[in-house]
Amino acid sequence: MKHVIRASSAALLALALLLSACGGPQLPVDPSMLAVTVAVDLGGEAVEGGDQLTPQGFPYDPDDGSIAGSVEVHVYDKDGDAVSFDVSGGTYTAAPSGAVGFITLTPGSESATVNLPSSGNPYRFESFGRADGDVVAYDERSQDVAVVPSVFVTLRSVLEEAILVPRYPTAVATPGQVLDLMLVVMANGHSDFPTDYLQVPVGDFTATYGTVTNAAAGPSSVRGIRLTVDPACTGDVTVDGHVTGLLFDGTAYATGDLPFHGGAGFSLSCPAAVGGEVAVDLVPPTVTLDSFDPATRVVTGTASDAFGIASVEIYDGPVLMASTDPAKVSGTVSLIVFAPGSDEFTTTLAVDPVGGISAVALDPSGNEASTEPTFDDGFVYVDASAGPGGDGSAAAPFDTIQEGIDAVASGGTVFVRNGDYDGDHLVIDKPLTLRGESEAGVSVRLSTTGYGVEVSADDVTIENLTIEGTDPSLSLSANYGVKVSPQPVDDDPSTTDPVLTNFAMTDVTVKGFGRSEVDLLGVDGAYLTRVTADGQGTAGVGIAISGSRNVALLGVSTLGNDWGGVGLYSTPFGGINGVSGIHVDTASTFAEPVEVYSDTGAGPAGAAVEDLRLQGFTHVVKNPDFRADGDAFTFYMRTESGAVALANGLATPERSYVQKLGADVNGFVVAQNRFVVGVGMSLQTAIDAALPGATIEIASGTHTITTTTTVSKRVTLTGQPGAVIETSGSGFNVLYIPAGGAGTVVEDLTFVKTDKAGVHNLVQIGADDVTIRNNIFSGQWQAGDSDITRALEIQGGLSGLLIDGNTVFALRQPAYINGGTPGTTGTISNNKVYGTKGWVVDGALMTFSGNTWRSDGGTGPSENIDCDIALLAATPNGVPQYDPIADLEAANGGDLLNLPGSCDQRVP
């Protein structure tokens, strides 16, 4: 009879509620279909030789506990007919001619939504767990999915072979020996022990131990059995028995018994007798220590003996570090584990050894073998307090860092204990890790006028130390803290230069060097994490990146570097000429006025600084004239105030402009066609630098403009809150918008004329489609003054003008509007005008609406002088813009000052 493991209805209902709470499954659109969740648990991890629970239901790789397989779930309706599916977006929908015959579940996708016809209920679900094409696990269940719409597959491993293996390498059984036999159960199609097999979880079988000969049986479990060999053993120690679990008989999966070793049982010979009565072992075992990684503390080795291994222990001098005896394991002593059926063992030490470690092995007769203490040139120690003549071991460290660098194996670690290390410079010309005990405790003081630490090899890591330049000259031309560059590099394009890869610095302070604290040239792939670059007031840059790519600055800090925090340079030297793929995170800080800048002035032609990810950076500053190659420089800043301060602080601030930063679809920063003009900066410079369509923000604060600013391209000039433009004098326009500025918008600005000098038109418009909106124009004009001051002068022959929402007061006129041929046209709406002599229309055809004539914006008596709107003689009669006058009055507050009268000078 076939046995099937089934989950209880209560458990399945609980699972259904849980899955529903997590957002699935969703009801299908077709009400005749049932939405069902089919799931399997393929998680978990098994650790060889440990006490951790192994994953249930699916065999695993005993080396790492991983589950490498998938589950096929076949569905049958109430008539026993197989269901096929169409698959869309991971959802399986039953279809008579579906292209898919089963549901596939994997460790990465352990559940699926399945739509089944309600008419086929109840359904049978048959699941096959496969690894390398073999069925290694199985489950079958029937379920009314209308009641419980979640099917949880509970797999059981399919067994093929069960064997007993000595816990320690054992060739023969010795009289009186305590012999542990470990039970290894292997899955169907994967029983090539010990090279290639899958181990069955202990929850998928039971074990029965039968007859034991030449030994007394002790405790037993699904993990194995403990035997005590007979004192007079001269024959074979044997154990028979079987495991009970799921088997495949060629046609069906059913619970059955699988005998040990294919029915032969376990057998291990006792030693041959000498003279028929006495046996003796006079040969010691062999033991090796094959590897020790001080970083992970993992130890591997071998131990073997003609009779067997009784125990293995690892010592650090006199101190026990690891043992095969579980009774000796503690917080400082780790367990040594042998691979089943092998003489290879491994352990992870619980604490760091002080010196070299050695292994000791004993056989059952008490014979002993041991190894010499290890010295691993992959991990070399340096201690400033050590005397000369050390060998780099923990017990006898080198006393200089360069000795450690020279002695360590390629790819190894030089561990530098806390202390002060003085010298000229360090050279790192092979892959290694230079690791200090602590950043504050390891002080590397170098007196070089050239390179402090010169790195010319791939795969170098420097961490946990401080590097300080002590040369008082601090040569700006060649004094680098950490110089990272392949050798050789030159500026000859006909030669192929190497590129250095995989450099890393973590928790390092570099300070007191004149040119740069950290300098990368010709590097592809670098991480600088929590690196502090302190120039201590010198004239260089904190971190220089030249001709390099794919560099991450994570949590770095720069200070005291007069050129700036980070410099990105093109270079004619080496195999990379531009700079790309630079990432600066939000945790990085820069105390200098210049935070990050790029310089492409060194060339060669076409070398660019590009593909930058600068988190938190919002603006760039450029000034083409601040030095001879100023066009090659771009300054990246995190705040608008910092950008404006930098722009004003350059040698020629009137040539500085600030752009806002954005990001492209790849997340790389780009300078937007959006500019900011801070107080003290030139609006004309920003307009000249902008492309047509740009937005130019005039920053909050008071800006003084006393010369004409020409807007010769379409831009939007917008004021930030509190942006004020003050002007004085006459004979110029604050803004002049000629024909090229068609489409320009001027908005949200306050214009203040601070004196009475005239004639002074604040804004002169000579272009079509100009918009002047939401501005404030004011001056010092009062009734009776003869000076002419206007907010606007509008040239003739223009069209599409919009003057809306502005406030004008204390100027002689809000605007003088010329007519021309054809007459200027546009709209003047919703403006508040008071304390002026009103709008002057000289032949133009402007539509006035919604305008008011009082400071409070109300409809009472006008606060203008003489006129609200003056229509001069050149202005036509009988046009809808002005006639009938009653309509014009109604559209603009209901009562126009002095209209009709002297303000309407048109010829009847």
Side-chain angles (χ1 to χ4, degrees), residues 735-762:
L735 297 178
Y736 170 47
I737 308 173
T744 287
V745 176
V746 180
E747 62 185 7
D748 299 326
L749 285 165
T750 295
F751 296 81
V752 178
K753 179 170 172 57
T754 60
D755 66 353
K756 293 177 178 290
V759 175
H760 199 180
N761 301 306
L762 302 187

Side-chain angles (χ1 to χ4, degrees), residues 778-803:
S778 68
Q780 310 303 315
W781 185 88
Q782 298 179 11
D785 287 345
S786 61
D787 58 283
I788 298 174
T789 55
R790 304 184 183 102
L792 310 172
E793 180 175 7
I794 302 173
Q795 297 175 197
L798 305 179
S799 64
L801 303 183
L802 175 62
I803 303 170

Side-chain angles (χ1 to χ4, degrees), residues 509-598:
T509 294
V510 188
K511 59 184 179 180
F513 292 88
R515 180 75 172 190
S516 58
E517 312 312 305
V518 181
D519 193 287
L520 309 182
L521 169 63
V523 176
D524 185 358
Y527 284 88
L528 274 62
T529 305
R530 297 184 299 277
V531 170
T532 299
D534 182 0
Q536 297 183 329
T538 57
V541 64
I543 299 171
I545 302 173
S546 306
S548 297
R549 56 181 173 244
N550 302 322
V551 178
L553 306 182
L554 309 175
V556 304
S557 300
T558 69
L559 66 158
N561 301 283
D562 288 355
W563 290 359
V566 176
L568 311 175
Y569 301 91
S570 69
T571 176
F573 295 94
I576 306 172
N577 300 123
V579 176
S580 63
I582 308 302
H583 174 77
V584 179
D585 73 348
T586 54
S588 295
T589 60
F590 310 96
E592 298 87 352
V594 176
E595 296 174 328
V596 175
Y597 67 91
S598 64

Side-chain angles (χ1 to χ4, degrees), residues 29-52:
V29 175
D30 186 348
S32 69
M33 302 290 278
L34 299 171
V36 181
T37 296
V38 178
V40 62
D41 182 8
L42 293 177
E45 181 174 289
V47 180
E48 179 191 356
D51 296 328
Q52 292 89 338

Side-chain angles (χ1 to χ4, degrees), residues 470-773:
T470 60
D471 189 315
S473 68
L474 293 174
S475 169
L476 182 61
S477 63
N479 187 232
Y480 300 86
V482 178
K483 177 72 174 183
V484 184
S485 178
Q487 295 295 336
V489 294
D490 57 46
D491 60 353
D492 183 354
S494 67
T495 63
T496 300
D497 294 308
V499 173
L500 188 148
T501 61
N502 298 331
F503 174 74
M505 290 181 70
T506 302
D507 297 319
V508 174
T509 294
V510 188
K511 59 184 179 180
F513 292 88
R515 180 75 172 190
S516 58
E517 312 312 305
V518 181
D519 193 287
L520 309 182
L521 169 63
V523 176
D524 185 358
Y527 284 88
L528 274 62
T529 305
R530 297 184 299 277
V531 170
T532 299
D534 182 0
Q536 297 183 329
T538 57
V541 64
I543 299 171
I545 302 173
S546 306
S548 297
R549 56 181 173 244
N550 302 322
V551 178
L553 306 182
L554 309 175
V556 304
S557 300
T558 69
L559 66 158
N561 301 283
D562 288 355
W563 290 359
V566 176
L568 311 175
Y569 301 91
S570 69
T571 176
F573 295 94
I576 306 172
N577 300 123
V579 176
S580 63
I582 308 302
H583 174 77
V584 179
D585 73 348
T586 54
S588 295
T589 60
F590 310 96
E592 298 87 352
V594 176
E595 296 174 328
V596 175
Y597 67 91
S598 64
D599 174 10
T600 57
V609 175
E610 58 191 355
D611 295 349
L612 308 180
R613 286 187 171 91
L614 306 178
Q615 293 181 351
F617 284 76
T618 57
H619 295 74
V620 294
V621 179
K622 291 188 70 75
N623 184 317
D625 297 336
F626 89 96
R627 57 181 246 187
D629 59 348
D631 276 329
F633 281 79
T634 301
F635 303 93
Y636 298 87
M637 304 297 293
R638 276 185 164 155
T639 64
E640 184 170 294
S641 59
V644 169
L646 175 61
N648 280 318
L650 296 177
T652 54
E654 71 278 4
R655 295 294 293 148
S656 298
Y657 59 88
V658 174
Q659 286 178 266
K660 289 193 171 184
L661 279 176
D664 65 14
V665 294
N666 297 310
F668 301 133
V669 296
V670 292
Q672 297 177 313
N673 197 22
R674 191 176 186 97
F675 294 73
V676 175
V677 179
V679 174
M681 296 176 61
S682 166
L683 174 58
Q684 187 68 67
T685 297
I687 293 171
D688 293 345
L691 296 174
T695 295
I696 299 174
E697 297 181 16
I698 291 84
S700 303
T702 300
H703 303 250
T704 300
I705 298 179
T706 56
T707 59
T708 296
T709 297
T710 302
V711 187
S712 58
K713 64 188 71 170
R714 178 176 57 87
V715 296
T716 294
L717 303 181
T718 185
Q720 295 179 356
V724 177
I725 294 177
E726 288 189 350
T727 188
S728 60
S730 64
F732 69 94
N733 308 113
V734 174
L735 297 178
Y736 170 47
I737 308 173
T744 287
V745 176
V746 180
E747 62 185 7
D748 299 326
L749 285 165
T750 295
F751 296 81
V752 178
K753 179 170 172 57
T754 60
D755 66 353
K756 293 177 178 290
V759 175
H760 199 180
N761 301 306
L762 302 187
V763 179
Q764 181 171 348
I765 302 173
D768 295 334
D769 302 316
V770 171
T771 297
I772 309 294
R773 65 188 175 204

Side-chain angles (χ1 to χ4, degrees), residues 184-251:
V184 179
V185 181
M186 291 164 279
N188 179 47
H190 295 77
S191 59
D192 186 6
F193 182 87
T195 58
D196 183 18
Y197 69 100
L198 292 181
Q199 191 157 330
V200 171
V202 295
D204 278 0
F205 62 87
T206 59
T208 301
Y209 298 91
T211 303
V212 176
T213 60
N214 285 315
S220 64
S221 69
V222 290
R223 297 297 296 272
I225 185 170
R226 175 166 290 172
L227 306 178
T228 302
V229 180
D230 290 346
C233 174
T234 58
D236 291 344
V237 174
T238 64
V239 181
D240 64 19
H242 63 268
V243 295
T244 301
L246 192 62
L247 305 176
F248 182 60
D249 63 7
T251 59

